[in-house]
Amino acid sequence: QVQLVESGGGLVQAGGSLRLSCAASGRTFSSAAMAWFRQAPGKAREFVAAISWSGGGTDYPDSLKGRFTISRDNAKNTVLLQMDSLKPEDTAVYYCAATKPTGSATYYRNPKLYDYWGQGTQVTVSS
C-alpha cells in the first residue's frame, strides 16, 4: 500500500514558479512509476508529467515541455514537480499518482494505469 501527500501549491502571479512535492509512504515507492496530473474546474483530468521508477525516464505533454520538470528522490520517498513560467491556464488541482511496483522502466500518460492517488494541492496563477 502506498499513501501520497502533495504539498507546495498556492497562489502565484503569471510568470512565477512553484515547486510541488509528493511525499510517499510505503516500501514499494522506489519501484513505482510516478506522475502528476491536474484538473481544472469543469475539465477532465490532464496528464502533466511522469517519471520511471529509477528517474531515468520522464515524459511530458508537448504543451508543458520546457516549463515543467519532474524529478524524484527514492531515498526520501519524494517526487517533485518544478513549475516555471506559470500561466493562468495552469490553474488547477494537481494530483500525484503512483503505480504498483512495475519492475520495469515504464511510465504512463493514462490515469487509469495508476493505482494510488493523493488528495491534490491547489495551484492558482493570477494574471
Side-chain angles (χ1 to χ4, degrees):
Q1 186 73 15
V2 174
Q3 293 183 325
L4 306 173
V5 179
E6 304 96 334
S7 61
L11 174 64
V12 64
Q13 288 188 332
S17 297
L18 279 176
R19 187 175 73 169
L20 304 183
S21 179
C22 175
S25 63
R27 293 181 293 174
T28 58
F29 169 82
S30 62
S31 56
M34 303 290 295
W36 288 93
F37 292 82
R38 68 186 183 185
Q39 189 165 19
K43 295 188 177 182
R45 190 162 294 191
E46 178 186 13
F47 170 69
V48 173
I51 189 166
S52 63
W53 71 269
S54 68
T58 58
D59 187 30
Y60 308 89
D62 289 344
S63 59
L64 299 180
K65 282 182 181 178
R67 294 198 300 122
F68 287 20
T69 304
I70 188 171
S71 61
R72 68 190 294 165
D73 185 338
N74 286 341
K76 296 181 179 179
N77 279 8
T78 300
V79 63
L80 303 174
L81 183 68
Q82 178 68 40
M83 306 185 295
D84 299 316
S85 302
L86 284 163
K87 304 175 181 180
E89 51 263 43
D90 294 319
T91 295
V93 177
Y94 283 70
Y95 298 91
C96 177
T99 66
K100 292 179 181 177
T102 66
S104 62
T106 56
Y107 42 82
Y108 312 102
R109 295 190 173 196
N110 185 344
K112 294 181 179 180
L113 297 177
Y114 290 86
D115 302 289
Y116 307 105
W117 291 83
Q119 293 300 307
T121 185
Q122 176 70 46
V123 171
T124 303
V125 184
S126 63
S127 58

